[in-house]
Amino acid sequence: MQLKSLCLLLTLCSACAAAEAENNTHLPPFILDRSQNVFFEDYSVSTFTQNLFGVKNSFGSKQVVLGGMAELDLQRWQGDTINTQDQAGTYTHDTALYFTQTTFDVMANLTPWVTLFTTASLSGIGQGGESGNYLNLPYAFLLFGNIEQCPLYVYGGYNAISFGKFNTSGGWDYPLSSTYFQPQVAPGVSLGYQNKKINVSTTVFTDQVLYENHMVYNLLYQNNDHLINYGFGLGYLTHLDLNTTGDVNVNRNISKENASMEAGNVADLNGNVGYKDFSLSAEWLRGSEKVLMNHAKPIAFGTTLTYSPTLNDTYYSAGLSYSKTIYLKDVSTMLAGQDQIPYASVGLQNSWAASVTRNFFGDWFYASLNAQRDVTYDNKKTYTFTVDGTAYL
């Protein structure tokens, strides 16, 4: 069945569902996401749609669900002098306090089959330059489907791209596999199938840097029981340009008229295994074309170990991650300090990151300690230490 036919079918189903008598008229018109133990801001970018499709029925069809967060970072970075692409031109050492970002989420189940989701984000608050006070709408899309009635779903609009997993040590750091190969949010259309263990999706999107069309195929399998969980994923993305990956805010400052960053078609393989509160994940990505003057096709991989117990009603999480790139010399990517604004011109070869997180004051405030070491392709090292505080709406 073609995509247009499925869209029409889901729309007709939503109209029928809207006509049914509902028993939830007593529900409050506005409700917070965390009232149902849901945190929109904790969802991974690459699996955002799947997560939303799985939890949207936790809320009534006459409710507007509000979410969001505000994040502060105290940072210290030090190490070798690194050439960057920002106006200062070099990156050495400093200490700074940042109001990193604030977001506001709105979700509404217009009918049991149609969900509207949108987010407004302001990042680099109070910072100068083009990357400061950056306002954007990372999410603005309609999701058609009802997982309790049918495993198929369709979304259309501005959304994260379902490709890969890109796990981190905590809520702050980004593995090099993400900064080099994760596509930025973009307008697109996706058709997916999801049940309790499997998600399969096909997405067509247009990147917002070069305005090229891309096709993504993605499969995720996850099996969870009381003690053991395991899963794997496969992904394929067509003609990815590395100018269209990473963070949309800092990446927009890089000139797009320079040499092509075309990495060709990108394959992704990821897997994870967990026992009780422990989890180990790994991911490997490879492009099909050489980039710049590198001698072979680009590769990035990462692995993450986490331990996340709950002790005396307090949530704790500790994570350690390592990521590495091969044949990506002179392909710039962001450094950890200055709140992840500058880009290292020569590129990053490997990165270690560690974090410890716990909640305070119930479930609305989380604090974490983070440490990261990055090594460039010319063997220069930088160390970043961050105290991160995140308050949820």
Side-chain angles (χ1 to χ4, degrees):
M1 186 178 292
Q2 295 182 350
L3 182 60
K4 290 183 178 179
S5 298
L6 284 171
C7 291
L8 178 59
L9 177 60
L10 289 171
T11 304
L12 290 174
C13 289
S14 70
C16 293
E20 296 178 359
E22 297 188 32
N23 298 317
N24 59 355
T25 55
H26 63 283
L27 294 175
F30 295 94
I31 190 171
L32 295 180
D33 57 351
R34 62 188 179 93
S35 67
Q36 300 299 315
N37 202 31
V38 171
F39 291 83
F40 296 140
E41 292 298 325
D42 279 354
Y43 289 158
S44 168
V45 172
S46 57
T47 59
F48 190 88
T49 304
Q50 295 94 308
N51 288 327
L52 189 67
F53 185 52
V55 303
K56 76 184 196 69
N57 285 343
S58 301
F59 306 95
S61 60
K62 291 188 176 182
Q63 289 182 310
V64 176
V65 185
L66 305 178
M69 56 89 110
E71 183 178 18
L72 288 170
D73 289 309
L74 174 63
Q75 285 192 325
R76 169 67 185 178
W77 61 94
Q78 61 191 50
D80 298 325
T81 299
I82 298 173
N83 292 327
T84 67
Q85 294 191 347
D86 66 337
Q87 293 180 352
T90 58
Y91 175 96
T92 52
H93 59 84
D94 206 347
T95 302
L97 176 65
Y98 294 104
F99 190 174
T100 304
Q101 65 174 328
T102 182
T103 61
F104 183 65
D105 308 310
V106 178
M107 189 195 85
N109 288 324
L110 305 180
T111 78
W113 287 81
V114 181
T115 298
L116 170 68
F117 191 92
T118 184
T119 296
S121 173
L122 179 63
S123 58
I125 302 170
Q127 298 184 37
E130 293 184 4
S131 293
N133 302 305
Y134 179 53
L135 178 64
N136 72 322
L137 297 174
Y139 301 109
F141 63 91
L142 283 171
L143 176 65
F144 301 89
N146 188 325
I147 195 171
E148 295 180 358
Q149 304 294 325
C150 175
L152 293 175
Y153 66 87
V154 175
Y155 85 72
Y158 208 81
N159 198 357
I161 307 304
S162 298
F163 177 72
K165 293 292 288 292
F166 306 107
N167 291 322
T168 70
S169 71
W172 183 85
D173 62 285
Y174 294 94
L176 296 181
S177 54
S178 169
T179 58
Y180 275 106
F181 283 112
Q182 185 169 20
Q184 299 171 5
V185 295
V189 177
S190 182
L191 168 65
Y193 172 94
Q194 180 171 324
N195 60 27
K196 292 182 179 180
K197 296 183 179 180
I198 296 176
N199 179 274
V200 181
S201 63
T202 300
T203 305
V204 179
F205 74 95
T206 303
D207 71 73
Q208 297 301 282
V209 178
L210 302 175
Y211 300 99
E212 296 176 340
N213 295 324
H214 306 264
M215 179 74 75
V216 180
Y217 307 94
N218 202 52
L219 180 148
L220 295 173
Y221 172 85
Q222 188 67 39
N223 185 62
N224 299 313
D225 61 25
H226 183 61
L227 296 177
I228 299 175
N229 63 84
Y230 57 90
F232 69 89
L234 302 171
Y236 187 80
L237 190 158
T238 62
H239 61 274
L240 180 69
D241 191 292
L242 301 185
N243 281 327
T244 69
T245 59
D247 187 271
V248 65
N249 182 12
V250 293
N251 209 23
R252 67 196 178 105
N253 292 330
I254 297 178
S255 174
K256 310 306 176 186
E257 291 77 26
N258 294 332
S260 172
M261 295 291 182
E262 176 66 52
N265 301 327
V266 177
D268 174 273
L269 174 64
N270 62 78
N272 67 275
V273 61
Y275 175 72
K276 293 185 177 180
D277 297 322
F278 289 93
S279 179
L280 176 66
S281 64
E283 187 161 20
W284 175 92
L285 300 103
R286 185 185 184 187
S288 64
E289 295 184 14
K290 300 176 186 178
V291 181
L292 298 181
M293 300 302 292
N294 290 279
H295 300 299
K297 299 172 183 177
I299 295 173
F301 64 85
T303 183
T304 302
L305 175 66
T306 59
Y307 174 57
S308 303
T310 299
L311 305 173
N312 298 323
D313 295 326
T314 301
Y315 171 83
Y316 296 88
S317 180
L320 178 66
S321 68
Y322 174 75
S323 55
K324 181 177 176 61
T325 67
I326 304 173
Y327 305 120
L328 282 165
K329 185 177 184 297
D330 294 325
V331 181
S332 61
T333 193
M334 63 184 180
L335 292 159
Q338 293 185 24
D339 210 35
Q340 300 181 352
I341 295 299
Y343 265 52
S345 301
V346 72
L348 294 181
Q349 192 169 35
N350 65 71
S351 177
W352 283 96
S355 70
V356 178
T357 305
R358 67 155 290 177
N359 68 304
F360 295 88
F361 314 115
D363 61 355
W364 70 272
F365 184 80
Y366 289 75
S368 66
L369 302 176
N370 307 269
Q372 185 166 336
R373 189 198 77 160
D374 296 331
V375 180
T376 68
Y377 268 89
D378 55 358
N379 203 35
K380 292 183 177 180
K381 301 177 179 64
T382 180
Y383 303 85
T384 306
F385 306 93
T386 306
V387 179
D388 177 274
T390 301
Y392 292 88
L393 183 66

